[in-house]
Amino acid sequence: MNTNILTTLCAFLRTAPAMQGIALTAEQLPPAPFTAGLWGKGTAVKETRQNLWGETRQSRRSEFVLRLCLPLPPGDDTAALQNAQRLEALQAWLAAQSAAHTAPTFGNYETETEALRTADACMERTDAGGTACYTLRLWADYTVAYTEKGEPV
């Protein structure tokens, strides 16, 4: 996983209104309220094409996992609802930023077609101390073009 992509995505996520008050780092963390960790699960090449001029284009998908740890005292329905609303707001914000092309770009070819997607927001676990851990998967779809010498275009 390219650490520049992870660093860029972390910085971008910190600007989300739903992430205000949450300390986000690019790593897995032990559960503590109002912390989050982002880590990469890898990058897959979806398609490779070469044109007549020797340029190669690779369509790629990088996958990330965001883990949010939020307070959830046992039996506190209000906190549970607030946490669910925070996750929904984060997903909606990410979708809006991607659609408006204000999300970070990771490729160097047809960047206007890049997309940042989210899915599978769910509660992963809770602990007796009143902390709930939620996970959210993110995907960045982008294209990288190379010259015939293997250098980025």
Side-chain angles (χ1 to χ4, degrees), residues 20-31:
Q20 298 309 302
I22 297 176
L24 173 61
T25 60
E27 61 184 299
Q28 293 189 52
L29 298 171

Side-chain angles (χ1 to χ4, degrees), residues 43-49 56-62 107 109-110 113 140-146:
T43 298
V45 175
K46 299 184 327 181
E47 180 180 37
T48 301
R49 290 186 177 204
T56 300
R57 289 183 221 131
Q58 287 185 339
S59 297
R60 297 179 180 180
R61 174 173 283 165
S62 293
Y109 185 82
E110 295 182 346
T113 64
D141 292 318
Y142 56 96
T143 302
V144 177
Y146 299 95

Side-chain angles (χ1 to χ4, degrees), residues 68-108:
L68 294 163
C69 295
L70 301 169
L72 184 60
D76 188 338
D77 291 342
T78 301
L81 180 60
Q82 289 171 341
N83 291 348
Q85 289 171 336
R86 186 184 290 257
L87 283 173
E88 289 174 8
L90 179 58
Q91 290 184 94
W93 181 83
L94 284 164
Q97 298 301 305
S98 183
H101 303 291
T102 54
T105 56
F106 302 118
N108 66 354

